[in-house]
Amino acid sequence: MVSHQTLGRCAKQEMDMADCLEAYGLIRGRRKCQMLIEDFAECQTLKKQFNRFILLRRERERQIASGKLTGEKQYVSPKVDSY
């Protein structure tokens, strides 16, 4: 059995998911705890975050190709605390 409790990053999401599954059982818990399961999966894989990054990069490349972003504006880093 693998646990993320010692790694730190996904420990809270894993514990919330495990508590919910324990409360409802595995079969009913899959439906009732779906959001917690998805949160834990996202914490592990960072798939949504990576897909967002890809979409933003494609949009930047599209704007560069269309001429909206030129010169120094092409690769400006985001402002601090803009996330």
Side-chain angles (χ1 to χ4, degrees), residues 54-71:
I54 295 296
L55 288 173
L56 288 171
R57 185 164 58 176
R58 284 183 187 156
E59 177 61 21
R60 178 182 285 181
E61 290 171 356
R62 186 192 67 76
Q63 288 182 7
I64 290 171
S66 68
K68 288 184 179 180
L69 294 177
T70 58

Side-chain angles (χ1 to χ4, degrees), residues 9-10 13 38-58 83:
R9 190 182 83 196
C10 300
Q13 288 87 353
E38 289 174 3
D39 287 346
F40 179 59
E42 171 58 21
C43 181
Q44 284 183 306
T45 62
L46 301 175
K47 187 176 179 180
K48 291 178 185 177
Q49 181 178 347
F50 183 72
N51 287 338
R52 233 182 347 262
F53 164 74
I54 295 296
L55 288 173
L56 288 171
R57 185 164 58 176
R58 284 183 187 156
Y83 297 103

Side-chain angles (χ1 to χ4, degrees), residues 3-83:
S3 172
H4 291 272
Q5 294 304 302
T6 58
L7 298 176
R9 190 182 83 196
C10 300
K12 183 180 180 335
Q13 288 87 353
E14 181 185 35
M15 189 55 75
D16 292 344
M17 179 192 72
D19 287 343
C20 184
L21 288 172
E22 182 181 4
Y24 289 108
L26 186 59
I27 295 171
R28 205 167 29 146
R30 286 184 183 160
R31 185 174 21 93
K32 295 251 185 195
C33 307
Q34 185 63 33
M35 290 180 62
L36 295 172
I37 294 169
E38 289 174 3
D39 287 346
F40 179 59
E42 171 58 21
C43 181
Q44 284 183 306
T45 62
L46 301 175
K47 187 176 179 180
K48 291 178 185 177
Q49 181 178 347
F50 183 72
N51 287 338
R52 233 182 347 262
F53 164 74
I54 295 296
L55 288 173
L56 288 171
R57 185 164 58 176
R58 284 183 187 156
E59 177 61 21
R60 178 182 285 181
E61 290 171 356
R62 186 192 67 76
Q63 288 182 7
I64 290 171
S66 68
K68 288 184 179 180
L69 294 177
T70 58
E72 294 178 5
K73 293 182 180 180
Q74 285 184 6
Y75 296 104
V76 175
S77 296
K79 296 178 182 178
V80 175
D81 294 334
S82 64
Y83 297 103

